[in-house]
Amino acid sequence: DVDKRQLQSGALVALDVPAGSAFGVDWQVHTVGPAFLGMKLIPPGLHLAIYGSTLHALGFFFVARPGGVLAFRWDARSECLERSAGEEAQLAAQVHALELDARLGAYDAADPASEAADGTWATWSQLASYIDERVLARARVRLGETIAPDGAGEGQSEPRESLPVAPTHRTAHPPEPLAAVFTRVRANRMPAGQPAGAVTDYHFDGSARLEELLRVEYAPASSPAEPWPLLLGELQLAFVLMLQLHSHSALVFWREMLALLCTCERALAQARHAPLFEAFARVLREQLARLPPDFFIDALSGHNFLAPALAGLRELLDGAPARVQAAARPLWALLAEHFGLDADALARLADEDGPTVVEHVAPS
């Protein structure tokens, strides 16, 4: 029953989007035609709208609610979609009366139970399982606010309270799209005056830095809940913005956080961190499954930090609790099946990407 499905899902009306533009929700992006008016049958929950072009992708997060209709209108001056809340009541009535049905593209499925394992909803649910409004707030991203791939705030961690709030109606001066702001993973938070051994451990075993991040950066925003879901939510946010909006700052955070998590020898062996690393193994598996099979051998992406990081993680997991090792098995299976990398191949690839030792011959 179409009427019932409309009331159980949400709709995103996008008015005046130029024909030939890219537009999509979550993981699928399409080129729109002149009759396009948005998307229907969007499952309830948090979603990412992507629009623009392959060379200049923009996006915004929104929450779809059962029977809810959100309206945005294209602004030719800013070349952005702006919230048009004043039109939502009328458009909702038209959507529910099916008057716009032929001009609304259908989301893959409004019913997660019927979704194929590789469909848009299943993919997005797995890739964004820890992203919530707290994660967005940490990244200075507001619902409905256009996100640029990168911008003046790249790499900064200062709050954006002084910035204009995303409008709920059309304005004469729309706000400039802003990039998401990610946590500084490499910031040195170690107190001064530590012994040399502690400094060495701090930089070679990521455990102390991880615990510092959890305590200083994530715990204040999560209290009294566990802080690690916020960390993984930011890791997921970086991944989707990296792939969907081609954000460089997202790539930097994703790379640095993965490199850190894969070097936490002491933390991996501790039962109190097992929930984090179990969840991390699942998150990483879902992310790597979205990369092309030739990622590790491609001329542009083959020599990257990922192979040494994964090889190091695999070695360190020998000392992890059994539950963490079990959670990582699907990750190693994916590497073998999707990328053709078993343990030996991964180790060889890591050696190729590692530092080269050359013999020094003293001048005679």
Side-chain angles (χ1 to χ4, degrees), residues 50-350:
I50 309 107
Y51 67 93
S53 67
T54 54
L55 296 178
H56 184 58
L58 299 170
F60 59 86
F61 282 92
F62 67 97
V63 175
R65 306 188 189 281
V69 175
L70 295 172
F72 287 76
R73 185 178 287 276
W74 180 263
D75 185 279
R77 294 162 298 174
S78 64
E79 296 187 332
C80 293
L81 282 167
E82 298 176 39
R83 181 79 180 273
S84 187
E87 301 180 86
E88 286 178 352
Q90 177 184 353
L91 289 168
Q94 292 178 287
V95 169
H96 296 153
L98 306 184
E99 295 175 10
L100 307 180
D101 210 54
R103 302 181 65 182
L104 296 174
Y107 193 94
D108 258 5
D111 178 10
S114 68
E115 179 65 15
D118 60 349
T120 301
W121 177 243
T123 299
W124 178 252
S125 298
Q126 294 160 350
L127 290 177
S129 56
Y130 290 101
I131 302 177
D132 58 22
E133 293 187 45
R134 296 178 308 156
V135 172
L136 297 182
R138 279 188 49 78
R140 315 296 188 250
V141 172
R142 300 182 180 95
L143 291 176
E145 180 183 70
T146 296
I147 310 166
D150 289 301
E154 179 186 347
Q156 303 300 312
S157 58
E158 290 76 19
R160 287 184 176 168
E161 281 74 12
S162 61
L163 297 176
V165 176
T168 57
H169 54 81
R170 301 186 73 192
T171 62
H173 302 287
E176 179 185 354
L178 296 168
V181 177
F182 295 98
T183 301
R184 291 176 173 174
V185 177
R186 290 187 175 179
N188 188 351
R189 302 171 180 85
M190 190 176 192
Q194 297 296 308
V199 174
T200 300
D201 289 343
Y202 182 87
H203 290 287
F204 282 90
D205 181 344
S207 301
R209 284 179 290 152
L210 171 63
E211 290 168 351
E212 224 167 33
L213 281 169
L214 291 171
R215 182 180 67 255
V216 175
E217 298 289 346
Y218 297 103
S222 64
S223 182
E226 286 285 346
W228 61 261
L230 282 179
L231 183 153
L232 293 184
E234 190 171 5
L235 186 69
Q236 290 183 323
L237 175 65
F239 185 79
V240 297
L241 295 186
M242 176 183 75
L243 263 63
Q244 297 296 73
L245 300 189
H246 315 298
S247 168
H248 176 71
S249 57
L251 167 62
V252 170
F253 173 83
W254 184 73
R255 181 181 64 208
E256 292 182 352
M257 184 57 79
L258 283 190
L260 173 64
L261 290 170
C262 290
T263 61
C264 295
E265 182 175 9
R266 176 173 53 79
L268 272 163
Q270 294 176 328
R272 67 190 178 97
H273 289 304
L276 163 60
F277 286 105
E278 281 184 276
F280 170 59
R282 291 191 292 267
V283 165
L284 184 55
R285 188 236 174 256
E286 295 304 327
Q287 291 181 345
L288 295 185
R290 314 304 160 191
L291 299 179
D294 64 350
F295 181 80
F296 289 95
I297 59 175
D298 181 82
L300 294 178
S301 62
H303 293 281
N304 56 61
F305 80 100
L306 200 49
L310 290 170
L313 177 64
R314 188 159 194 160
E315 181 178 347
L316 294 180
L317 276 170
D318 289 341
R323 57 190 282 195
V324 178
Q325 296 187 40
R329 289 188 192 111
L331 171 62
W332 310 133
L334 172 80
L335 287 174
E337 296 165 9
H338 189 61
F339 300 104
L341 292 176
D342 58 15
D344 292 337
L346 185 63
R348 287 195 300 272
L349 190 58

Side-chain angles (χ1 to χ4, degrees), residues 40-51:
K40 62 182 178 181
L41 303 178
I42 303 172
L46 184 71
H47 297 273
L48 173 65
I50 309 107
Y51 67 93

Side-chain angles (χ1 to χ4, degrees), residues 21-37:
S21 298
F23 189 93
V25 174
D26 298 338
W27 203 243
Q28 286 193 342
V29 181
H30 307 280
T31 301
V32 305
F36 175 78
L37 278 184

